[in-house]
Amino acid sequence: MTYEEFADSRLTALLRYAVMLTGDPHQAQDLVQDTMVRVQLNWRRVARAESPERYVRRMLTNQYVDWRRGSWMRRVLLRGEPEESAPPAVDHAQDAVDRDQVWSLLARLPRRQRASLVLRYYEDLPDAEIAEILGCAVGTVRSSISRALATLRAEHLEVCS
């Protein structure tokens, strides 16, 4: 597989993953672009990997965790496209409020915890793959997810009360 074939087949999925990590389509595009430049420069190593897609996802996750661009997380808003097959929502305003609240809560999490949640619940990966992508032990993944969920529960209760 060439770099061009890989990029053509996986770019959309990587962009969706990056949007879930960053919460902002523009930041996600920047993240994917930076990562794909690194992938192209190291394509021989990436192509030799057992799973090039997993290798690139790990590169993207590491790039996200290490990103030092200031306080962008305070401005995170979800502007995702609804699924075409989904029935229209009854109360669009409430859906927007709920979506913004979820992004607000997620934005407060440390990057590794947020990445762990996205990999688990959005990408539907098992603990072992998440650990491989994040470069940590399986127990660390489980504790990160547990802490993140506990934080989200506590913050959600504060917001709702």
Side-chain angles (χ1 to χ4, degrees):
M1 174 183 290
T2 66
Y3 169 79
E4 290 78 14
E5 292 169 339
F6 176 83
D8 286 342
S9 67
R10 300 308 308 152
L11 197 58
T12 303
L14 290 170
L15 186 56
R16 278 193 313 263
Y17 173 58
V19 168
M20 293 305 297
L21 285 176
T22 64
D24 181 300
H26 302 290
Q27 290 286 335
Q29 289 172 352
D30 290 346
L31 178 62
V32 170
Q33 182 177 356
D34 291 350
T35 302
M36 292 306 287
V37 167
R38 291 178 48 223
V39 168
Q40 186 176 27
L41 293 173
N42 297 297
W43 180 246
R44 287 185 183 162
R45 185 176 343 137
V46 172
R48 285 192 308 262
E50 182 179 319
S51 172
E53 180 180 355
R54 198 175 331 162
Y55 191 93
V56 172
R57 191 182 298 151
R58 182 175 183 174
M59 289 175 71
L60 191 141
T61 304
N62 288 340
Q63 182 82 3
Y64 164 73
V65 170
D66 293 339
W67 236 4
R68 304 277 188 236
R69 288 198 172 184
S71 63
W72 67 270
M73 288 180 62
R74 292 188 201 116
R75 299 184 309 265
V76 171
L77 294 174
L78 175 63
R79 299 190 197 312
E81 298 294 323
E83 292 183 19
E84 290 181 26
S85 63
V90 176
D91 185 359
H92 297 292
Q94 187 59 46
D95 286 350
V97 168
D98 292 344
R99 188 173 49 239
D100 289 347
Q101 183 181 14
V102 168
W103 277 114
S104 175
L105 292 171
L106 284 174
R108 296 179 193 157
L109 292 175
R111 289 177 180 227
R112 280 196 175 269
Q113 287 182 9
R114 184 173 180 175
S116 297
L117 286 180
V118 169
L119 289 167
R120 165 67 64 75
Y121 296 107
Y122 183 75
E123 293 289 320
D124 199 27
L125 296 179
D127 292 341
E129 274 189 61
I130 297 170
E132 183 180 328
I133 289 168
L134 294 177
C136 62
V138 172
T140 304
V141 169
R142 290 181 183 149
S143 68
S144 290
I145 290 171
S146 177
R147 286 185 188 128
L149 291 175
T151 300
L152 291 176
R153 275 187 219 105
E155 289 185 11
H156 179 71
L157 290 174
E158 286 178 22
V159 170
C160 290
S161 53

